[in-house]
Amino acid sequence: MAYSSEDAKGNWAVIVTKFDRDDPTAGLELVKRPIPSPKAGEALVRILYRPINPSDIFALQGQYAGFQPQLPAVPGLEGMGVIEEVGASVRAVLARFTQGMKQGQRVVGAPWPSAEGEGTWQQYVVVKVDNLFPVRSEVSNEDASQFFVNPCTVVGMVHELQPPAGSWLLQNAANSVLGQEIITYAKHLGIKTINVVRQNEYINELKQKGADVVLNSNEVDIVQEVRKTTGGKMAWGALNPIGGPKSKAFPSSVRTHGTVEVYSLIGEEVLVPMSDLVWRDIHVKGFWLNVWLDSLPSHVREKKLKETMDMMAEKVLAPPPPSAKYPLVDVKKAVSDAQRKSGREGKVLLEG
Ligand SMILES: NC(=O)c1ccc[n+]([C@@H]2O[C@H](COP(=O)([O-])OP(=O)(O)OC[C@H]3O[C@@H](n4cnc5c(N)ncnc54)[C@H](OP(=O)(O)O)[C@@H]3O)[C@@H](O)[C@H]2O)c1
């Protein structure tokens, strides 16, 4: 099927026709759809870049709560683009962004309308203006495309735990893109990090990024190492995306009354020693960006999104450079490439 950026009249879109747990590329097709028109309160955004995140892969496998639309639907949980057109009477709504929020403005969605089956893996998306956020000039298009899923989650999880400056924060899968952003954001706030990985090759790299301590879960006893590092105080809180037998080290490594935030589905179940729950009042809770953002009063939500963009502009929250860029037409290759790669290599982006 032909696909060209010169084909200005169409909206080339990746659609998913069926979920497939074993092969997330199995239901993907490229189709040409009409360019949608924005109504009052909406803007038409031409998307420039979208990263392929683990959550997109979960979505194509039918395992993501935020993407359960009627199929076929357009996947893609995040990206960045430029405003192409604003719906009638939107001008007044845009005033809240002060000057410059108009045709040509670079924007990110928070969130994009992916839950409704109109995700970012298409050239044009209509978005409610209230869900658009301007990109600061210091942030590149590639970095901005990764604003929503990881940086907002980093800010959200730290906001929930409230670790004071000088305390220790423990995290697992620290070499992931999100884990690297936790390291730099925590450092900026004066919080020290204990970072768990499963291969020694990540240790030096994470220390160069500002990690205070890096532990290989295949070589050391996490609880003992945390006790030693913190002088017996244990970590203020912990972030863990990985289930399975080693997950029980995290509740045992936080202080009495401390919290472990579980934020992914890798491994399916986490273990919590009953003695930590009963004797030490440890809390183990989930974190999902969508639920967290919906729980915030609008002025706090706006403040947190602004803080996230400011942290990106100041390079505190800076994703590693993309590891590859593919046009939409090569979406199957791009998804397979993203599945093979480890986080520290940087995201695979869909371009154009
Ligand atoms: N709850 C939320 O709102 C939210 C928001 C954003 C992201 N997330 C989740 O956060 C996680 C990280 O996202 P990302 O974009 O930073 O991903 P990423 O860069 O692709 O990193 C994935 C990480 O998971 C580790 N991993 C994968 N399979 C594993 C396994 N079986 N056992 C142990 N470790 C394993 C990888 O370690 P190796 O390099 O050693 O393979 C790597 O550290 C993802 O699972 C994502 O879904 C959740």
Side-chain angles (χ1 to χ4, degrees):
M1 184 179 283
Y3 164 80
S4 154
S5 54
E6 287 154 30
D7 187 359
K9 298 239 160 65
N11 176 21
W12 286 98
V14 173
I15 54 164
V16 54
T17 56
K18 61 167 184 174
F19 294 130
D20 191 315
R21 198 149 176 172
D22 297 324
D23 178 5
T25 69
L28 295 178
E29 287 176 22
L30 189 72
V31 298
K32 190 173 164 189
R33 309 162 88 206
I35 297 176
S37 295
K39 298 197 214 51
E42 296 176 340
L44 177 69
V45 178
R46 180 165 55 88
I47 308 283
L48 301 182
Y49 287 109
R50 325 99 179 122
I52 301 179
N53 288 306
S55 42
D56 290 306
I57 301 203
F58 292 142
L60 301 180
Q61 291 172 320
Q63 297 185 79
Y64 191 70
F67 189 72
Q68 299 290 330
Q70 245 193 324
L71 299 183
V74 180
L77 297 167
E78 71 169 338
M80 70 76 56
V82 291
I83 292 185
E84 195 84 354
E85 191 187 334
V86 287
S89 83
V90 164
R91 211 169 286 274
V93 186
L94 288 179
R96 79 189 183 92
F97 290 132
T98 65
Q99 314 88 11
M101 195 68 179
K102 54 181 193 287
Q103 195 182 22
Q105 169 69 46
R106 298 187 309 144
V107 286
V108 288
W112 294 96
S114 39
E116 295 98 77
E118 289 294 337
T120 57
W121 293 11
Q122 55 186 326
Q123 292 181 308
Y124 296 91
V125 187
V126 164
V127 188
K128 282 189 195 131
V129 167
D130 278 350
N131 291 347
L132 287 175
F133 207 80
V135 176
R136 276 187 53 173
S137 61
E138 301 89 334
V139 183
S140 69
N141 290 345
E142 287 87 341
D143 283 4
S145 72
Q146 301 174 56
F147 163 83
F148 184 56
V149 171
N150 282 339
C152 290
T153 299
V154 167
V155 170
M157 291 196 297
V158 173
H159 172 88
E160 290 289 284
L161 284 181
Q162 295 283 319
S167 66
W168 288 93
L169 179 62
L170 172 67
Q171 68 155 336
N172 200 2
N175 64 304
S176 68
V177 168
L178 185 150
Q180 294 177 47
E181 292 174 0
I182 289 283
I183 292 170
T184 50
Y185 182 59
K187 191 151 202 81
H188 175 78
L189 298 174
I191 300 157
K192 296 175 283 187
T193 54
I194 303 173
N195 300 279
V196 178
V197 295
R198 54 178 181 166
Q199 290 175 64
N200 286 334
E201 62 176 291
Y202 303 130
I203 293 178
N204 282 338
E205 211 169 302
L206 294 187
K207 284 194 171 159
Q208 275 164 20
K209 285 197 174 267
D212 294 284
V213 173
V214 187
L215 306 173
N216 181 340
S217 57
N218 290 320
E219 294 189 349
V220 299
D221 180 319
I222 302 295
V223 185
Q224 267 180 28
E225 290 299 317
V226 172
R227 184 169 291 116
K228 221 190 298 172
T229 303
T230 60
K233 286 186 169 174
M234 310 310 276
W236 176 269
L239 306 171
N240 181 23
I242 316 284
K246 289 181 184 160
S247 59
K248 69 178 177 200
F250 289 82
S252 301
S253 297
V254 298
R255 73 196 158 102
T256 297
H257 309 301
T259 297
V260 181
E261 292 194 311
V262 175
Y263 64 92
S264 192
L265 305 177
I266 304 169
E268 297 199 353
E269 59 184 20
V270 290
L271 300 180
V272 188
M274 291 165 81
S275 54
D276 288 318
L277 287 177
V278 176
W279 303 132
R280 301 197 314 114
D281 185 33
I282 300 307
H283 299 250
V284 178
K285 68 181 277 289
F287 181 96
W288 187 31
L289 176 61
N290 301 35
V291 168
W292 177 68
L293 280 176
D294 282 351
S295 76
L296 299 176
S298 58
H299 69 282
V300 179
R301 185 175 180 278
E302 197 84 357
K303 197 170 145 208
K304 288 288 146 188
L305 294 174
K306 183 177 178 314
E307 179 190 345
T308 308
M309 183 57 74
D310 289 347
M311 290 292 98
M312 290 192 87
E314 290 170 32
K315 309 293 177 219
V316 172
L317 289 172
S323 60
K325 293 180 185 176
Y326 292 86
L328 282 180
V329 70
D330 287 334
V331 64
K332 289 192 181 207
K333 276 191 215 157
V335 169
S336 302
D337 192 12
Q339 267 193 297
R340 270 192 307 271
K341 282 182 169 147
S342 154
R344 87 198 156 117
E345 290 177 75
K347 293 291 173 190
V348 170
L349 302 186
L350 286 168
E351 180 176 28

